[in-house]
Amino acid sequence: MNRNDRSIVALVSLAHGMVHTYELSIPIFVSIWLVEFSAVDLGFTQVGVTTATLGVVVTAGYGLFGAGALPSGVLVDRVGSRRLIRACLFGMAASFLLLAVAPGLVAVTLALLVWGIAASVYHPAGLALLSKGVEERGTGFAYHGIAGNIGQGGGPLVTTLLLLFLDWTLVAALLAVPALVAGLYASRAEFDETAAVTPSTDGGEDASTDGGSKATSGVDSLADFRTESLRLFTGGFVLVFVVALCSGLYYRGFLTFLPGVLSSVPGFEPFPLSAVLPAELARAIGGGSQLVRPERYFYAGLLVVGVFGQYAGGKLSDRIDVEKGIVGGFGMLALLALVFLPVADTGVAPLVVLGAVIGFFLFFVQPFYQATVAEYSPADARGLSYGYTYLGVFGVGALGGTVAGVVLTYAAPAELFVVLAGIAVVATALGLSLVRR
């Protein structure tokens, strides 16, 4: 990659890692909130806290994470990516500081809503910047995805380790610090946002040379928004959008309550920290009476393995038809959902292996649909196209958390994994339709 490519990839990778650090630390807190809060005080009534209740609370924040992607996509095409990425980072830091002082579940919900609004800016801004500013686009997507997975796995792991010794509110406050630092870095990075866009590929879009402070096209009015949206959804992009939506439903439905599901699996019982530390060290940190919860480490490890899936998917998206990658990836996810609980019944070791495979394919599909968006959308509406994409992935996809919470409250984990397999089958069928096109 050239210097401009490296500068852009460095910024978006840092920001992507931050977004997913916070996003997937939230399910770790969910398991604590189930114990910490017994009821939600709404003033005129109280609602008991269950997995269904917390599913709705988490969906509210995650829903804004996706819903805000569409207006953010419009803004990207007008003002450029840098300002929005910077605002995203500072906003996420503020949300976790608010979470740290939350006295109850209503305040927790408010903090998650703030996080959702701030984080919603990132994907349209970051992916539009990658697709328009980086010459080695597939490689850029791969490194961008790897950074996201480092955040996805590292964030929950760091959160879990801090929770061994600190109250969850203090942990939330400490987690705000990296986003503040990243926001300062975003203010100083230099690059050309449209270096990879040429007249031969976009029909005459003029590349910016002012360090990425402005975009050169976009939606100016409601009429423009309607026209550009119709232009996108009258072609193959509509199928890509539904594939992305299915990815979001599967992703959120699988991950939101995974630590809770695993806590009931034999072999995942909590045990005291003193059982795995030398006696002197255990005494030095307070007697080693803290409980180690294996399901949290399994969850974090699964997400870390996703690094390899992101990298493989990003590299392959430059070498094979992206539509075929969608078919293969989602086909595997359907199969893996169906065998998850049967494998869990055979023991911890087989489940760890299966978890690694799921982690790989859960993120293997992401570079493919991200690259497919670029293939099925014009460069001058790239921000809008990614806005719609992440409205589907994280907006409508956030309903996966509610679906999972309701299924686990009124049915059982077996039914949840059948639902997830069905979602992956739909995405596979849509991928086949794209191949035929």
Side-chain angles (χ1 to χ4, degrees), residues 51-370:
T51 54
T53 306
L54 281 175
V56 172
V57 168
V58 172
T59 295
Y62 284 153
L64 283 179
F65 181 26
L70 183 55
S72 299
V74 174
L75 282 174
V76 169
D77 288 331
R78 295 307 309 160
V79 305
S81 294
R82 178 201 300 276
R83 298 172 186 173
L84 296 181
I85 292 174
R86 184 172 57 218
C88 164
L89 292 166
F90 286 132
M92 290 192 301
S95 70
F96 264 66
L97 290 174
L98 179 60
L99 187 63
V101 297
L105 206 54
V106 172
V108 166
T109 304
L110 176 61
L112 293 182
L113 293 175
V114 173
W115 176 84
I117 293 170
S120 70
V121 170
Y122 175 70
H123 283 90
L127 292 171
L129 181 56
L130 273 173
S131 69
K132 295 170 72 174
V134 176
E135 299 283 352
E136 298 289 336
R137 188 173 67 193
T139 300
F141 278 132
Y143 286 121
H144 174 263
I146 288 171
N149 275 104
I150 291 172
Q152 286 167 327
L157 179 59
V158 170
T159 301
T160 296
L161 293 173
L162 290 174
L163 286 170
L164 283 172
F165 311 106
L166 303 173
D167 183 75
W168 72 269
T169 55
L170 181 55
V171 172
L174 291 174
L175 288 176
V177 175
L180 289 172
V181 175
L184 294 174
Y185 173 76
S187 302
R188 299 178 61 85
E190 296 182 359
F191 48 82
D192 178 356
E193 288 196 20
T194 56
V197 174
T198 64
S200 62
T201 60
D202 76 343
E205 183 173 345
D206 181 26
S208 168
T209 58
D210 65 353
S213 63
K214 297 179 181 179
T216 58
S217 63
V219 173
D220 289 317
S221 65
L222 183 60
D224 283 349
F225 175 78
R226 183 170 59 251
T227 300
E228 292 300 309
S229 297
L230 287 173
R231 182 159 66 122
L232 285 174
F233 283 94
T234 52
F237 177 80
V238 66
L239 298 180
V240 180
F241 172 77
V242 181
V243 168
L245 186 154
C246 289
S247 177
L249 288 171
Y250 189 104
Y251 172 89
R252 195 65 68 206
F254 181 78
L255 292 177
T256 299
F257 292 100
L258 181 61
V261 170
L262 291 171
S263 66
S264 62
V265 173
F268 282 84
E269 297 83 3
F271 56 87
L273 185 61
S274 58
V276 294
L277 288 180
E280 292 184 1
L281 180 57
R283 286 194 296 270
I285 62 175
S289 60
Q290 299 92 337
L291 289 178
V292 174
R293 301 188 180 276
E295 72 276 6
R296 296 179 181 174
Y297 295 92
F298 180 97
Y299 170 81
L302 180 151
L303 297 171
V304 169
V305 171
V307 168
F308 302 102
Q310 285 274 11
Y311 184 78
K315 283 294 188 180
L316 281 175
S317 69
D318 275 340
R319 291 168 171 77
I320 68 172
D321 292 338
V322 290
E323 298 87 350
K324 293 179 180 178
I326 287 172
V327 172
F330 280 103
M332 282 298 299
L333 287 176
L335 176 63
L336 293 169
L338 292 176
V339 302
F340 186 88
L341 289 181
V343 171
D345 290 338
T346 66
V348 173
L351 182 57
V352 168
V353 174
L354 179 66
V357 178
I358 292 176
F360 180 91
F361 281 99
L362 190 62
F363 298 98
F364 174 84
V365 298
Q366 292 185 4
F368 281 103
Y369 72 70
Q370 290 166 354

